[in-house]
Amino acid sequence: MKYDIILAGVGGQGVLSVSAIIASSAMKEGLFVKQSEVHGMSQRGGAVLANLRLADAPIASDLIPLGSASMILSMEPLESLRYLKYLSTDGAVITSTNPMVNIPDYPDLEELLGHIRALPHARLVDGEKLARAAGSARATNMVMVGAASHHLPVKVETLEHYIQTVFAAKGEKIVETNLEAFRSGREAAA
């Protein structure tokens, strides 16, 4: 078994936190994990990319070859399209519908979302709306982990355990908000 994930977003959206939760959950379940990150201008709203590879045997490289990603998990729609050349023919695209408009010529949102909907295994989730309903817009990344959880080769209970672990130092209310966000994303993508 191997499962390769491209995680994409822009600075401040929590791409690296999402990657850490999935990677920790996979290791807890005995899988091998390799990860690489690109986040040079992330503090200024630049692109953030992580390659996350999960397998039941040792993995030679941390980079995902073109045309072989099992999933693109994106925190915003335009970033999901940037990496389509990495997606396998049966791969899934899970993206938030909420744009991060950080360039003057950001494409028309409805046209952009229509392009994503036309992909064979795409799932679009209003991550920000669900996160606000859970208690904080900052939990959008956990909504997206929940939406992706249907495809990930790890148990829901293990993902929830690592969400609790990552946010434990911030208090019980933050933990509950992020767990609620995870569960609402999972339900929205079912």
Side-chain angles (χ1 to χ4, degrees), residues 62-126:
D62 54 358
L63 297 178
I64 298 171
L66 294 174
S68 67
S70 308
M71 177 192 295
I72 294 174
L73 176 55
S74 179
M75 304 303 120
E76 82 93 50
L78 185 57
E79 289 298 318
S80 68
L81 295 179
R82 182 192 302 256
Y83 303 103
L84 282 181
K85 62 187 172 191
Y86 288 92
L87 191 65
S88 71
T89 54
D90 60 344
V93 176
I94 313 292
T95 187
S96 174
T97 59
N98 311 109
M100 176 64 78
V101 181
N102 58 356
I103 54 175
D105 56 346
Y106 195 94
D108 177 77
L109 182 58
E110 286 310 312
E111 187 176 318
L112 179 62
L113 295 177
H115 185 75
I116 296 169
R117 281 188 190 100
L119 297 170
H121 306 289
R123 181 67 77 188
L124 289 83
V125 176
D126 188 339

Side-chain angles (χ1 to χ4, degrees), residues 7-30:
L7 296 112
V10 298
Q13 290 191 306
V15 169
L16 302 182
S17 296
V18 168
S19 183
I21 287 170
I22 296 170
S24 297
S25 298
M27 287 188 288
K28 174 73 175 174
E29 294 189 10

Side-chain angles (χ1 to χ4, degrees), residues 165-188:
T165 301
V166 165
F167 294 104
K170 295 182 178 184
E172 190 58 34
K173 174 125 178 71
I174 299 296
V175 169
E176 286 306 316
T177 296
N178 282 282
L179 285 172
E180 178 62 27
F182 170 83
R183 292 170 185 149
S184 65
R186 184 168 167 74
E187 184 177 319

